[in-house]
């Protein structure tokens, strides 16, 4: 009796220790309560088509055989001409369900699902399908239902074949893939006669998922080096080409469809997968269509995966399988799945720098949200004296803080001087107008300029009030200070006076050397004066900007040079006008113009 009790106790102890493995290693990494992160910019694509060739090895797809014949000519043409390609790396266990979860949800499968044979969701999770407007799926009954079950609402539609078709002993498993291609073609054909379905298909942010199981089935039954495996790749390639043609015809080649072709896992040469051998973890990734960067020829690349040697084609650096979910989300403009741990592979995107920056920012905030929720959960269940917050190291924190301070200071300076160019331009415009008005007043008084024929009253009101009204409305909308109204409206009235004071020469005072000169001479004088005044203002602005950037005593010489330059222009102007007045015989007027140039000299000294 005692021996039996001891045996039972030992069995219980071992069972407890065995169960502890699940709590230590097989707990769910998922958390809930995060906020979806949106990118506030238009998406590059309207819809996305995802092809997943189950069990397709990367090297088998990319390599050519001994006769240099491609197994997948269509995919090869995409790689060479119109798309981007690379290698994605998945994680152990390299099974179908974990691979699809990484692709579509962006995280590596909750290992507690192994207790349910990778068939059900131990914890519900978000996915690209769930975030989409509508998703249509075709393929295996073992894969598709788990994404429809976890979706919020009924916008994920699945079309599966019967479980009896998945026979590993079948002599022609490629029928699984031809079934999918036929169903997709029939679907789009029937949509033309279904107004409700047609309107749904015309909407944006839709996803079409084609799960192709035939390659994996043939790999298990006949091995990846077999003829059946290679022929199945050819069937898949032809089917993908046909589906792309159907999609482009249906949507009238609107350039709004993105395509991604990849695999959930690879396979060893003896037809197994699940472990961490490179033949199992390395999968192909080919993307093309809307928002995808096109191929670029290159002769120098430095990657250690040896695929460049096999193909002599440009490929992008290796990415992780979970990174494909943020890529798909970015292409169609939906939030990245809440539980995703993938990092957006920017190398595949063909978009503006602003879009990439906004997408990466949303990606970082989405992952940070998970970190905050996880930390809050652990903090609530741990005594405060025992809780140890995560530390990323003091040196990285200091470096990041310095970088943030530097960027913030640059941003402060940018916004502090945001209106400087606008106000400075307005003041310069008004100052040039005022100087022109002074010149015209002198010319009109002493050069016998006649007033122009006055404009009609409606035209005068329009010329005077329309610019003022427009500027006032612009400043009012922006809630500008009252001083801005003065700086912006004063040039309007000054230039209105300038335009109203222009005239033409009718004669000169009688004199021995009197001679008639056309209006162009007077206009030249005005333009010369304005030009000199612009030189003064421009040089002043240059001087102030230079000295505000770097304050060194040596920069005082810059002011001396600028003033010398301005005075040289003024002196030259004096000589020109003195000769002009000498020719027309108006010597007494030269003294008035000399006063005008003294005014310019004062401006130079003031600068």
């Amino acid at each position: 009796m005692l021996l039996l009790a001891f045996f039972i106790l030992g069995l219980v102890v071992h069972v407890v220790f065995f169960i502890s493995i699940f709590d230590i290693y097989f707990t769910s990494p998922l958390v809930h309560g995060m906020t979806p992160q949106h990118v506030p910019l238009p998406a590059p694509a309207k819809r996305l088509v995802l092809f997943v060739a189950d069990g397709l090895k990367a090297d088998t797809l990319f390599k050519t055989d001994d006769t240099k014949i491609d197994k997948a000519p269509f995919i090869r043409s995409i790689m060479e001409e119109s798309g981007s390609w690379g290698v994605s790396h998945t994680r152990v266990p390299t099974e179908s369900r974990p691979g699809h979860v990484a692709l579509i949800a962006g995280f590596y499968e909750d290992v507690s699902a192994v207790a349910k044979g990778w068939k059900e969701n131990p914890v519900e999770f978000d996915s690209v399908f769930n975030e989409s407007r509508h998703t249509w799926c075709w393929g295996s009954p073992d894969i598709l239902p788990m994404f429809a079950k976890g979706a919020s609402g009924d916008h994920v539609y699945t079309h599966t074949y019967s479980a009896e078709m998945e026979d590993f002993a079948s002599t022609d498993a490629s029928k699984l893939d031809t079934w999918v291609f036929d169903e997709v073609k029939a679907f789009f054909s029937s949509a033309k006669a279904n107004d409700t379905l047609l309107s749904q298909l015309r909407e944006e942010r839709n996803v079409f998922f084609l799960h192709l199981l035939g390659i994996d089935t043939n790999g298990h039954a006949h091995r990846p080096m077999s003829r059946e495996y290679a022929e199945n790749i050819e069937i898949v390639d032809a089917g993908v080409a046909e589906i792309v043609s159907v999609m482009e015809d249906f949507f009238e080649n609107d350039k709004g469809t993105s395509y991604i072709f990849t695999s959930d896992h690879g396979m060893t040469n003896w037809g197994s997968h699940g472990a961490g051998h490179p033949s199992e973890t390395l999968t192909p990734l080919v993307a093309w269509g809307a928002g995808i960067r096109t191929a670029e020829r290159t002769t120098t690349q430095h990657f250690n995966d040896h695929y460049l040697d096999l193909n002599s084609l440009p490929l992008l650096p290796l990415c992780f399988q979970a990174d494909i979910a943020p890529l798909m989300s970015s292409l169609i403009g939906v939030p990245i799945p809440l539980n995703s741990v993938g990092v957006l592979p920017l190398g595949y995107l063909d978009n503006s720098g602003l879009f990439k920056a906004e997408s990466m920012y949303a990606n970082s905030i989405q992952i940070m949200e998970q970190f905050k929720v996880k930390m809050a959960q652990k903090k609530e269940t741990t005594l405060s004296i025992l809780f140890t917050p995560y530390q990323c190291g003091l040196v990285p924190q200091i470096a990041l803080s310095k970088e943030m301070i530097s960027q913030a200071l640059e941003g402060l300076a940018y916004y502090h001087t945001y209106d400087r160019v606008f106000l400075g331009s307005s003041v310069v415009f008004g100052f040039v107008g005022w100087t022109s008005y002074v010149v015209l007043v002198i010319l009109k008084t002493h050069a016998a300029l006649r007033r122009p024929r006055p404009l009609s009253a409606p035209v005068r009101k329009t010329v005077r009030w329309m610019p003022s009204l427009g500027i006032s409305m612009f400043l009012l909308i922006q809630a500008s200070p009252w001083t801005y109204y003065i700086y912006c409206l004063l040039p309007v009235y000054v230039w209105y006076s300038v335009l109203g004071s222009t005239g033409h020469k009718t004669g000169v005072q009688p004199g021995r050397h009197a001679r008639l000169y056309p209006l162009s001479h007077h206009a030249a004088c005005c333009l010369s004066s304005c030009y000199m005044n612009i030189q003064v203002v421009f040089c002043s602005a240059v001087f102030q900007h230079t000295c505000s950037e770097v304050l060194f005593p040596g920069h005082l010489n810059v002011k001396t040079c600028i003033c010398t330059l301005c005075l040289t222009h003024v002196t030259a102007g004096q000589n020109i006008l003195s000769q002009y007045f000498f020719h027309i015989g108006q010597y007494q007027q030269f003294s008035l113009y000399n006063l005008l140039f003294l005014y310019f000299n004062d401006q130079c000294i003031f600068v």
Side-chain angles (χ1 to χ4, degrees), residues 228-487:
E228 289 81 2
Y229 190 87
E231 290 178 350
N232 205 150
I233 294 177
E234 296 176 1
I235 292 174
V236 167
D237 179 76
V240 170
E242 194 172 4
I243 295 301
V244 170
S245 177
V246 170
M247 296 282 291
E248 293 299 324
D249 291 342
F250 184 85
F251 293 106
E252 300 176 348
N253 297 299
D254 62 351
K255 307 298 183 183
T257 308
S258 296
Y259 301 92
I260 291 181
F261 180 87
T262 187
S263 175
D264 55 347
H265 57 76
M267 186 175 293
T268 63
N269 289 336
W270 51 91
S272 66
H273 56 80
H277 190 272
S279 62
E280 302 170 82
T281 59
L282 298 180
T283 57
L285 175 58
V286 183
W288 69 97
I292 299 296
R293 195 181 75 179
T294 56
E296 298 178 4
R297 292 290 178 179
T298 183
T299 57
T300 57
Q301 295 192 71
H302 303 284
F303 302 122
N304 297 323
D305 51 23
H306 304 296
Y307 285 109
L308 181 64
D309 299 334
L310 298 175
N311 296 276
S312 299
L313 290 175
L315 79 163
L316 294 173
L318 181 143
C319 69
F320 293 102
Q321 197 171 49
D323 300 341
I324 300 176
L327 175 62
M328 294 190 294
S329 299
S330 177
L331 288 172
I332 59 175
V334 300
I336 297 175
L338 297 176
N339 300 113
S340 172
V341 296
V343 179
L344 177 63
L346 294 177
Y348 286 87
L349 292 179
D350 182 20
N351 216 310
S352 64
L354 177 61
F355 181 84
K356 294 179 180 179
E358 290 285 355
S359 299
M360 285 301 297
Y361 176 75
N363 193 180
S364 62
I365 296 299
Q366 169 260 326
I367 294 179
M368 182 59 71
E369 287 277 325
Q370 297 181 70
F371 167 77
K372 291 181 178 180
V373 171
K374 196 74 173 179
M375 182 180 67
Q377 290 179 354
K378 182 53 61 179
K379 194 172 183 178
E380 289 178 357
T381 58
T382 305
L383 293 176
S384 58
I385 59 175
L386 299 178
F387 179 74
T388 303
Y390 170 75
Q391 299 289 342
C392 63
L394 297 179
V395 175
Q397 288 185 18
I398 293 173
L400 290 174
S401 299
K402 287 183 177 180
E403 179 65 21
M404 184 175 66
I405 291 172
S406 175
Q407 294 292 331
L409 290 176
E410 291 183 9
L412 282 173
Y414 172 77
Y415 286 112
H416 180 67
T417 60
Y418 193 85
D419 294 331
R420 181 170 294 178
V421 175
F422 168 68
L423 294 178
S425 301
S426 179
V427 171
V428 169
F429 186 65
F431 191 74
V432 172
W434 170 252
T435 304
S436 302
Y437 179 72
V438 172
V439 172
L440 287 173
V441 169
I442 295 174
L443 291 176
K444 182 176 62 177
T445 304
H446 299 280
L449 289 180
R450 188 177 64 187
R451 282 185 172 273
R453 181 177 301 174
L455 300 174
S456 61
V459 174
R460 288 203 307 271
K461 291 182 179 180
T462 301
V463 173
R464 175 181 296 180
W465 294 112
M466 287 301 293
S468 301
L469 182 61
I471 293 173
S472 299
M473 291 299 297
F474 173 75
L475 297 175
L476 182 64
I477 293 174
Q478 296 197 130
S480 301
W482 64 271
T483 53
Y484 283 31
Y485 290 84
I486 298 177
Y487 303 145

Side-chain angles (χ1 to χ4, degrees), residues 26-43:
F26 289 173
T27 57
S28 174
L30 304 183
V31 292
H32 298 86
M34 292 79 68
T35 303
Q37 301 299 317
H38 297 266
V39 176
L41 293 173

Side-chain angles (χ1 to χ4, degrees), residues 45-63:
K46 299 178 181 178
R47 65 198 70 89
L48 172 77
V49 182
L50 173 63
F51 301 96
V52 177
D54 202 310
L56 178 60
K57 300 171 59 178
D59 56 348
T60 303
L61 176 67
F62 294 147
K63 284 195 305 184

